[in-house]
Amino acid sequence: MKRAALLAVLTLAACGRDDRKAPAAPPTPQGLEAAAIEAGIIPDPASTDITGLYARETDRVCIVPSATAYRIGIFVDYDEQQNCGGSGTVTHDGETLHVTLGESGGDCNFDARFEGDRIVFPARLPEACQKVCVGRASVAALDVTRLSASVSEASTLRDAKGRLLCAGG
């Protein structure tokens, strides 16, 4: 009788057994930045639109959509003898912005870092990038933060000569 009772209990226990695998644990974030993105503390650069007006002190960058990519304008203003102003195109894939300054796809090509609401240019740029500058000013190591995501605000950025840097396209 004890065997029959034990067999009945084991049979009933086997009927309630769930053979489904436990759900996989979510992927572990790599590094502090990944953890901050996952927690929603900072925006994910891979899914953030780059359109907007960016600034830090007297440095400005505008980015607006155009027919084929995005239009970018850069203005660094120290004074009338030391400034930079130019425009070109930019494409992006996640955290990398591929920047070309100059209207005809000039030699000023470089990759900048996009961090959701911040853009950081490399400290070393091709010599051709100096063509957009006057005096000893430079766009190297430019570091700006988004002020606005508005296309209309970004489209109003002008250089020292009054030219709109992100208009047209």
Side-chain angles (χ1 to χ4, degrees):
M1 177 91 168
K2 288 183 184 180
R3 282 189 191 181
L6 182 62
L7 185 58
V9 169
L10 289 174
T11 303
L12 288 174
C15 290
R17 196 172 90 205
D18 191 356
D19 287 336
R20 291 178 288 173
K21 293 182 180 178
T28 306
Q30 299 296 316
L32 291 175
E33 185 174 8
I37 290 169
E38 187 174 293
I41 296 170
I42 61 173
D44 183 358
S47 63
T48 303
D49 185 19
I50 62 175
T51 300
L53 179 63
Y54 300 77
R56 173 161 291 151
E57 296 178 8
T58 60
D59 302 339
R60 302 277 187 267
V61 172
C62 58
I63 299 178
V64 297
S66 70
T68 57
Y70 286 86
R71 185 151 179 81
I72 186 170
I74 299 165
F75 183 51
V76 175
D77 184 24
Y78 298 113
D79 60 34
E80 289 183 21
Q81 287 79 35
Q82 311 289 328
N83 61 67
C84 301
S87 58
T89 59
V90 61
T91 59
H92 77 106
D93 53 10
E95 295 181 12
T96 303
L97 298 178
H98 307 288
V99 179
T100 300
L101 292 179
E103 298 306 316
S104 58
D107 296 327
C108 181
N109 300 296
F110 60 91
D111 289 341
R113 220 171 54 241
F114 178 62
E115 299 174 350
D117 280 332
R118 183 173 169 226
I119 297 173
V120 181
F121 284 18
R124 293 187 179 181
L125 295 175
E127 187 65 33
C129 295
Q130 199 57 32
K131 291 178 186 175
V132 300
C133 296
V134 175
R136 296 183 325 178
S138 173
V139 295
L142 184 66
D143 184 339
V144 290
T145 303
R146 189 188 319 247
L147 293 178
S148 169
S150 167
V151 172
S152 60
E153 285 185 60
S155 297
T156 64
L157 181 63
R158 295 177 184 269
D159 66 7
K161 295 180 181 176
R163 293 180 296 215
L164 289 170
L165 297 175
C166 279

